[in-house]
Amino acid sequence: MNETLTIPEIKRVESGDLPRHETISRTGAFSGARSKILAILAIPLICCALSFPIVDSNFFRGYADPQWVRSSSQIYSSRNADCEIVIFGDSTAITGIDPKIVEAATHMHTCNLAQTKGVLAVLGTSALDVYLRNNARPRILLIQFAGADFYSPGSWRDTTAYMEGVVPMLRFYPRRQFLKAIVRHPEIYMGMMHYAYITGLINLLRNRFHRTVLPHSEQTPIDVHFVRAVPAFKNCDRVEDLDPIFHAPDARFIRALRQHYSGMADHLILDAAPLSECDKRIGFLDRTLSGIDNKEEPYPVTLFNEGYEHYTAAGARRLSNEIAAQIESLVGREQRHSSSESASRESNAVRSRGQ
Amino acid sequence: MLFTSVPFLLYFMPIVVLGYQLCGKIGRRAVIAWLGLASVVFYACWDPRFVVLLMGSIAVNFFCSRMIAGTATYFAKKCWMVAGITANLSALCYYKYLFKLLGAFNALGMSHHLWTTVILPLGISFFTFTQIAYLVDLAQGQATPQSFPEYALFVTFFPHLIAGPILHHREMMPQFSQNKQYRLHADDFFVGLSWFILGLAKKAIIADRLAPTADFTFRHVSLLSPAEAWVGVLSYSFQLYFDFSGYSDMAIGLARMFSIQFPMNFNSPYKARNMIDFWARWHMTLTRYLTLYLYDPITLTISRRRLAAGKKVSRKAQKTIPGFTAMVATPMLATMFLAGIWHGAGLQFLIFGTLHGIYLSVNHAWRMFRGSHVVDRKPALHTQLTSVLLTYACVLVGQVFFRADSTHDAIALLGALGGYHHRSGTSVLTQSLVILLGLIPVVWLAPNTQEILGQVEPSLRRPRFGFGCTWSWAFALGLIFLGAILFISSSSTFLYFQF
């Protein structure tokens, strides 16, 4: 080919000048390579192996666990708590239901035990089972999920190491279950390393090596409710940029929840978290969600501050009050029902005495 | 399967390395079969359905290559070559362009049919281009026919299968057919592992940290203040470089563990002093491919036509306006236009390609019409600095089109960069500015991977930072490996997978 037609700089890498297959000098420049390779591989492997006992240690639990693991772990250490109303669910229940508001309105001792979606993905609702086994039977058990989360959350189908679920599994569940999870989800290795060395270190420094987990006897009643310090949405602009997941709620999952938990409390309430007015799934969920106990109107977007279903303090107040009203109406109906039953019994007795 | 995924690092690679060592005891055929099988498994882990497409593509191309090799006349060879290329391009067009084109017709109101979409098979562009090059060279007598296992391994070898480097049969086939000992060499393995770790660190520690800012910027082009637009665009530019060059380094490293040498793909492209230099440093194997299989044939065709018309094709003739337009600018624009289309279906990709065609043409015109005495003189430091900045600014404009979801978004973002929007800003990019400031010396002053390791051209012959098989380097690499693993984000993917 005519040399004048080519681009010199590009021709430099053209066929004639393809990289030469030089082999590295094997005459001693790389002597002892084998032991150095082993050293390179050993560093991450050893750190990985150590991360499990580090995370499981009492020191780590006391000083280095982040707040979201600390609060969700309370559910496992609680014994003989007497919560008349138990609230469980996903992050919509964490951010949206303030047990103090519910308690003030209903005059019943209320505990919020909700867990993040990460915990639910890994452990399903087994944390609630642990609580119900070790504590007093509640009068009301309210389970609230985001509408689209009413599908078997324990399936854990993707390959994300949700450490908020994996860490309790390491600490509170049988070893065999944890080992099985590692085999199925090898990403736990990396997640555990990150949790031990990055998250743990950040928290140690943030807490300035102060113990953050109280001894068992000093623990306050379980309340995982908190609101993220993020400004509220002003309009639909930012919400519309989000790309929601259009999961069709699983009716079988809802039925299974009702079947499993209906005997564990006097009353079981299954609620779907109210959506924002900007949520693209409103119509979709209206059509596909059934078998739940509430029918919420969408909330103004200004009551939300991140994602789709995380509430501001004002949003939490509104939702908590509505839930309190829902509970009161249920309890009131029961009281009316029982008082009318007793009234009819009395009148029957009077009638029979008259006869 | 991603190079950064736990199953790859923890299960796939140890098994493949062990199998390679064991098969090496049996012989070359066993090694080739093992690596081919591993590569198919690697591809199947993404979506097993597309293994059929991959194997079908290999079978069709192998059949065409046999027919080309088996026929005596040039015309028959050419017919088989055209048939093979047509089959390759048809598959590529079907998966990559057809449904996007039909969607565009719908958007323009030219059709109202609701077209379905198809999943783009991973790496289809890469394995298609590799095979087209082989067919073309075989028809021209510049390649030799291969046995099926060797050919299949050349196409599927897992380090390059999904996102390159785009291999040339002349550099790969001899390595598969060499009469050498097929077993692990500790020294090659050490260098390969070093290469892989440095690539992994580029991806996990740097590129993935920049991704949120880049994604946010290109999703909210109309909400950005000029400062935020600059931070966002620079973040994307650095992300693209560290992501793609990190992937290439990992691929080179993986191949090297098996004593296979891959060509370099990046050579500090942002240090380029002009656009020609940039393309000789950025995605070098694509540049080589475009030059060999697009630019050169187009130039040759034009030259032949000019000769037939009695016109000159000499270097002197190129320095005239009509000669330059015909023999340099036209093939350059055509090549880069097609390169733009290769990157994706969308007006923004056409603009990206055309823009680079114009850049390169202007650069050539500058070189040719200014005279060699000016070009050959070593420029002063401030001139060099200006050249590097000007080149990088041109690259940035191209990258805005390359990344934007639409031409409208790209223009809006360019407007934000120029301060035309005067938005109040979102004030979420401050942290990224700190990362960017830390990366500027890495991008423009630090040596690149091949310069550090000093192993393959075009790096410096002597390794930097005293790289060698020493305990201090082993310890440092172990810590870098640990750091990269700690930062691996399970949700991240590689940017060039979409091509």
Side-chain angles (χ1 to χ4, degrees):
Chain A
M1 180 169 298
N2 188 340
E3 182 58 31
T4 60
L5 303 179
T6 59
I7 313 167
E9 282 75 3
I10 290 178
K11 285 306 250 186
R12 204 173 63 191
V13 290
E14 213 187 274
S15 53
D17 286 336
L18 290 175
R20 278 172 247 147
H21 306 302
E22 301 166 29
T23 47
I24 308 159
S25 161
R26 295 194 175 113
T27 55
F30 283 79
S31 61
R34 210 169 284 183
S35 53
K36 273 115 192 174
I37 291 165
L38 290 175
I40 293 172
L41 298 176
I43 289 173
L45 284 175
I46 290 170
C47 288
C48 180
L50 287 176
S51 65
F52 291 86
I54 287 174
V55 170
D56 200 20
S57 68
N58 284 329
F59 176 82
F60 199 95
R61 292 183 206 197
Y63 293 85
D65 261 349
Q67 196 240 333
W68 42 268
V69 170
R70 280 203 315 269
S71 58
S72 69
S73 294
Q74 289 179 66
I75 202 165
Y76 298 100
S77 52
S78 172
R79 295 285 182 281
N80 304 318
D82 187 18
C83 303
E84 292 172 280
I85 299 175
V86 166
I87 290 157
F88 189 77
D90 55 16
S91 57
T92 66
I94 295 176
T95 59
I97 305 177
D98 184 347
K100 293 183 194 77
I101 295 176
V102 178
E103 189 166 325
T106 58
H107 306 292
M108 284 193 269
H109 182 38
T110 306
C111 302
N112 186 342
L113 325 175
Q115 306 281 299
T116 60
K117 206 184 272 188
V119 177
L120 296 168
V122 177
L123 300 168
T125 54
S126 64
L128 177 61
D129 296 341
V130 172
Y131 172 84
L132 292 172
R133 227 179 6 248
N134 296 331
N135 298 277
R137 177 188 165 96
R139 284 184 67 192
I140 310 283
L141 172 59
L142 184 141
I143 299 177
Q144 175 184 287
F145 287 123
D149 285 352
F150 271 109
Y151 69 95
S152 182
S155 55
W156 196 12
R157 275 167 286 205
D158 58 25
T159 53
T160 306
Y162 298 107
M163 293 312 293
E164 59 262 61
V166 173
V167 170
M169 189 190 268
L170 170 71
R171 291 174 180 169
F172 305 111
Y173 286 73
R175 273 294 132 86
R176 186 186 287 180
Q177 188 177 342
F178 184 71
L179 292 174
K180 258 188 199 169
I182 285 187
V183 172
R184 284 184 59 197
H185 296 277
E187 68 275 8
I188 288 177
Y189 291 112
M190 284 184 189
M192 196 59 77
M193 285 168 78
H194 192 277
Y195 187 76
Y197 302 118
I198 305 285
T199 313
L201 192 64
I202 289 170
N203 279 291
L204 269 179
L205 297 173
R206 190 178 285 161
N207 302 331
R208 297 187 187 132
F209 290 88
H210 284 174
R211 191 175 179 89
T212 53
V213 171
L214 296 170
H216 197 52
S217 55
E218 295 173 34
Q219 280 182 4
T220 51
I222 304 174
D223 176 10
V224 299
H225 168 71
F226 75 97
V227 171
R228 292 261 290 165
V230 180
F233 291 128
K234 289 181 181 146
N235 50 46
C236 291
D237 284 354
R238 300 286 287 279
V239 183
E240 281 172 354
D241 278 344
L242 300 170
D243 198 12
I245 300 163
F246 281 78
H247 269 304
D250 184 352
R252 277 176 309 176
F253 173 66
I254 296 172
R255 275 200 303 277
L257 272 182
R258 203 173 279 287
Q259 201 173 3
H260 184 68
Y261 290 109
S262 55
M264 296 189 183
D266 295 350
H267 298 282
L268 173 67
I269 302 172
L270 290 183
D271 277 359
L275 300 172
S276 94
E277 60 192 347
C278 307
D279 200 306
K280 296 170 187 169
R281 296 166 300 181
I282 289 174
F284 173 75
L285 287 174
D286 275 348
R287 286 194 305 278
T288 53
L289 186 59
S290 61
I292 54 163
D293 295 317
N294 68 334
K295 175 73 182 167
E296 295 287 353
E297 289 302 308
Y299 280 13
V301 72
T302 49
L303 298 181
F304 297 81
N305 61 6
E306 61 175 1
Y308 302 99
E309 298 125 346
H310 289 184
Y311 302 89
T312 60
R317 267 196 303 279
R318 177 168 165 177
L319 180 57
S320 304
N321 280 316
E322 285 180 2
I323 281 172
Q326 188 185 11
I327 291 171
E328 276 192 317
S329 119
L330 182 73
V331 173
R333 208 165 52 225
E334 184 200 37
Q335 279 171 351
R336 278 196 301 279
H337 181 68
S338 60
S339 60
S340 67
E341 265 187 357
S342 62
S344 67
R345 266 200 307 273
E346 276 173 23
S347 65
N348 284 343
V350 168
R351 232 177 282 140
S352 61
R353 273 201 300 273
Q355 284 169 356
Chain B
M1 201 184 291
L2 294 174
F3 291 164
T4 52
S5 67
V6 184
F8 179 84
L9 295 170
L10 217 58
Y11 303 145
F12 183 83
M13 264 317 278
I15 291 170
V16 173
V17 165
L18 196 68
Y20 177 85
Q21 186 74 342
L22 292 174
C23 290
K25 293 182 191 301
I26 302 169
R28 191 176 72 87
R29 282 179 186 278
V31 167
I32 286 174
W34 172 251
L35 288 180
L37 178 71
S39 301
V40 172
V41 171
F42 174 82
Y43 194 74
C45 283
W46 168 66
D47 190 336
R49 288 173 298 171
F50 287 111
V51 171
V52 178
L53 176 78
L54 175 66
M55 298 315 291
S57 169
I58 290 171
V60 167
N61 280 284
F62 183 72
F63 174 74
C64 289
S65 75
R66 282 282 151 176
M67 297 315 291
I68 290 169
T71 49
T73 63
Y74 180 67
F75 180 74
K77 283 180 192 289
K78 205 171 173 180
C79 286
W80 279 110
M81 179 190 81
V82 169
I85 292 173
T86 308
N88 280 306
L89 293 182
S90 302
L92 191 64
C93 287
Y94 175 79
Y95 284 106
K96 201 164 175 177
Y97 305 109
L98 179 65
F99 293 98
K100 287 195 176 175
L101 204 65
L102 293 172
F105 286 153
N106 273 8
L108 293 170
M110 295 163 72
S111 134
H112 299 289
H113 188 270
L114 274 177
W115 300 104
T116 180
T117 52
V118 290
I119 305 168
L120 184 66
L122 215 54
I124 187 169
S125 302
F126 290 95
F127 65 72
T128 301
F129 278 23
T130 304
Q131 297 187 99
I132 287 177
Y134 178 66
L135 292 182
V136 170
D137 283 357
L138 199 63
Q140 292 180 344
Q142 292 179 19
T144 50
Q146 302 294 328
S147 69
F148 184 76
E150 281 172 19
Y151 178 74
L153 178 59
F154 159 62
V155 178
T156 61
F157 190 37
F158 70 90
H160 81 96
L161 176 60
I162 288 169
I166 301 171
L167 300 182
H168 196 277
H169 56 90
R170 261 182 286 170
E171 66 202 348
M172 293 313 297
M173 292 305 192
Q175 298 194 65
F176 292 139
S177 55
Q178 273 170 5
N179 190 19
K180 63 179 181 185
Q181 279 191 315
Y182 286 89
R183 61 176 175 80
L184 295 171
H185 295 282
D187 40 11
D188 274 347
F189 199 92
F190 181 81
V191 174
L193 186 61
S194 308
W195 219 302
F196 179 82
I197 289 170
L198 293 180
L200 185 69
K202 276 183 180 180
K203 162 73 180 161
I205 299 177
I206 303 177
D208 285 354
R209 305 281 78 73
L210 296 165
T213 308
D215 292 345
F216 179 87
T217 303
F218 282 87
R219 241 193 345 251
H220 299 94
V221 288
S222 55
L223 296 173
L224 303 169
S225 68
E228 287 168 343
W230 275 103
V231 169
V233 170
L234 287 171
S235 294
Y236 174 66
S237 177
F238 286 9
Q239 183 207 358
L240 183 63
Y241 168 56
F242 283 107
D243 187 281
F244 193 20
S245 71
Y247 183 90
S248 295
D249 285 346
M250 280 188 263
I252 290 165
L254 288 169
R256 187 60 175 267
M257 289 181 202
F258 302 104
S259 302
I260 300 284
Q261 284 205 34
F262 274 5
M264 295 297 99
N265 217 14
F266 287 87
N267 184 24
S268 303
Y270 294 158
K271 290 178 186 170
R273 288 190 215 154
N274 54 58
M275 289 309 295
I276 301 171
D277 190 20
F278 173 79
W279 277 101
R281 291 164 174 266
W282 176 273
H283 205 173
M284 292 151 74
T285 53
L286 176 69
T287 306
R288 180 180 68 183
Y289 190 93
L290 293 174
T291 308
L292 286 175
Y293 299 101
L294 280 176
Y295 181 82
D296 282 354
I298 295 170
T299 311
L300 196 63
T301 308
I302 291 172
S303 300
R304 280 179 181 154
R305 284 189 183 167
R306 280 178 67 88
L307 279 172
K311 294 176 182 169
K312 290 181 178 173
V313 293
S314 64
R315 189 179 286 271
K316 202 175 168 186
Q318 280 185 6
K319 288 188 178 178
T320 62
I321 299 286
F324 176 82
T325 310
M327 289 187 286
V328 179
T330 305
M332 189 61 74
L333 282 167
T335 303
M336 296 315 288
F337 181 81
L338 291 170
I341 293 176
W342 176 73
H343 280 98
L347 187 59
Q348 68 272 32
F349 289 109
L350 294 187
I351 294 174
F352 163 77
T354 310
L355 208 54
H356 274 278
I358 294 169
Y359 289 158
L360 286 166
S361 301
V362 169
N363 198 170
H364 278 291
W366 176 263
R367 287 158 52 94
M368 287 180 173
F369 294 113
R370 282 204 73 189
S372 59
H373 64 285
V374 180
V375 174
D376 292 343
R377 205 172 55 209
K378 194 174 187 247
L381 186 67
H382 69 273
T383 313
Q384 287 183 37
L385 199 65
T386 312
S387 308
V388 170
L389 285 177
L390 184 64
T391 305
Y392 184 60
C394 292
V395 169
L396 270 188
V397 174
Q399 286 177 342
V400 167
F401 283 96
F402 186 76
R403 170 63 176 79
D405 291 334
S406 65
T407 313
H408 176 266
D409 278 6
I411 291 167
L413 189 52
L414 288 174
L417 288 173
Y420 289 112
H421 291 163
H422 301 294
R423 301 275 176 180
S424 58
T426 54
S427 306
V428 294
L429 304 177
T430 322
Q431 197 186 345
S432 308
L433 185 62
V434 177
I435 301 176
L436 285 180
L437 289 174
L439 285 178
I440 284 171
V442 177
V443 170
W444 276 285
L445 300 175
N448 57 39
T449 316
Q450 60 264 32
E451 286 169 340
I452 292 171
L453 301 181
Q455 290 299 313
V456 181
E457 288 183 335
S459 78
L460 299 179
R461 285 288 181 183
R462 193 174 296 175
R464 300 284 282 273
F465 304 131
F467 174 79
C469 189
T470 60
W471 281 110
S472 52
W473 261 103
F475 188 66
L477 285 165
L479 288 180
I480 295 170
F481 198 13
L482 173 66
I485 288 172
L486 288 176
F487 278 99
I488 284 176
S489 161
S490 59
S491 59
S492 80
T493 183
F494 290 93
L495 293 179
Y496 249 70
F497 276 17
Q498 62 187 299
F499 303 114

